[in-house]
Amino acid sequence: MLDARGIIAALRDGRGLPGDAAGWFADGLASGDVTDAQGGAFAMVVFLNGLTEAERVGLTLAMRDSGQVMEWSLPGPVVDKHSTGGIGDCTSLLLAPALAACGAYVPMISGRGLGHTGGTLDKLEAIPGYRTDISAKDLHHLVADVGCAIIGATGDIAPADRRLYAIRDVTGTVESIDLITASILSKKLAAGLQALVLDVKVGSGAFMKTMDRAEALARSLVATAEGAGCRAAALITDMNQPLAASAGNALEVLEVMDTMTGNAVNQALWDVTVALGAEALLLGGLASSVDEGADQLDEALASGRAAEAFGRMVAALGGPTDFVERYPDRLPAARVTLDVPAPRGGYVTEIDTEALGHAVVHLGGGRLKGGDRINPSVGLSDLMPIGEPLAAGETIARVHAASDADAERAAAAVLAAFRIGSEDPDEPPLIHDRITL
Ligand code: URA
């Protein structure tokens, strides 16, 4: 007979997760039969003693199966991407429609901002009328019709993870790679994916600050997804500076649209999107090599077919029907803008990217506590990249704020986050590593 005390004790004593213990524990978390104290003890024993790869796969599948698991019958592969989160990381908004334009189907169940990082749902909700809370039935129709849908999780996606995540948040157990892996993948795999590409961010704005940690997480995610029957690959991408030149909800949507329509292409955003998408096309069987996948994605973006798919998704989810043509007029603009001048000439040598994320949160672009309302118009734009030569007084960023006082505070935070030196620094690569099985 299984019970929570026995399962926790077995893990404590190094006897591992016996038999179908993962399934029992995940169901107990979802139903409430497992108490918060038992959930906390379980999280801590996994944090301290770790799981074997087979146990991690078992826990992931058990948490996935604690709720609804979608099934698809579509003429192309069902694929998705997950990012571990960063600043100015709006690749999902380009990638989902670009993959759809290449023949893949993308039910992208996304999250909100976490800590200093931005959230895809918050960005999309900057588009007036866009709804992220549709039913599983509507999601099926939309994905079959448009090829992609970026929405929030329904209440029945991996309820065991929702409970365990909340417990981890208050028991000092968030940072466990085993638990992060099971948490991310249980939700993603509940969407019934055939292939998943993982964008593991590393650097000053990422949750993983070192290559060692990023690589360990990437390897764990790829091995566990593959062990659970989903083809997977990971790219470790740079977060020592914002990926886009903007950070903030409407501002990032604006930059995505500028890139997707060709009005003003952000090359870093384009390149990371194409690199991630190429992996998904390869894993999904739509390309025979990463290079061929990249060519397909370049074409989907350059031809405007990705923008067209994005426009159809926005209209289907309640946004403006003319969004692709009229996006600058449709997005909200902040009341106050303030340019931040460089205090001296030289080069941008380093950026405290996490501090930029916190500045956006404090402007109202993220949440300081659960339930806070987001102001979609605020944030930072025109962020100067590392390696850029600049003259004293040149603008290193523009603040978009709801008030003069907010703008002044954010400008001071931005200034403190930028290091300007006289030596031309090495620019960090966009992609640090590629991890496959
Ligand atoms: N995101 C998740 O969904 N879960 C984690 O544990 C960490 C990040």
Side-chain angles (χ1 to χ4, degrees), residues 82-84 114 161 165 168 173-187 207 217:
H82 176 82
S83 162
T84 58
L114 187 66
D161 176 62
Y165 193 89
R168 286 165 58 208
T173 50
V174 167
E175 293 84 354
S176 153
I177 284 185
D178 292 315
L179 295 175
I180 293 173
T181 300
S183 170
I184 289 172
L185 291 181
S186 61
K187 288 175 291 215
F207 287 110
L217 178 59

Side-chain angles (χ1 to χ4, degrees), residues 95-106 146-148 305 309:
L95 185 56
L99 286 170
C102 294
Y105 291 87
V106 190
V146 177
C148 65
R305 289 190 303 115

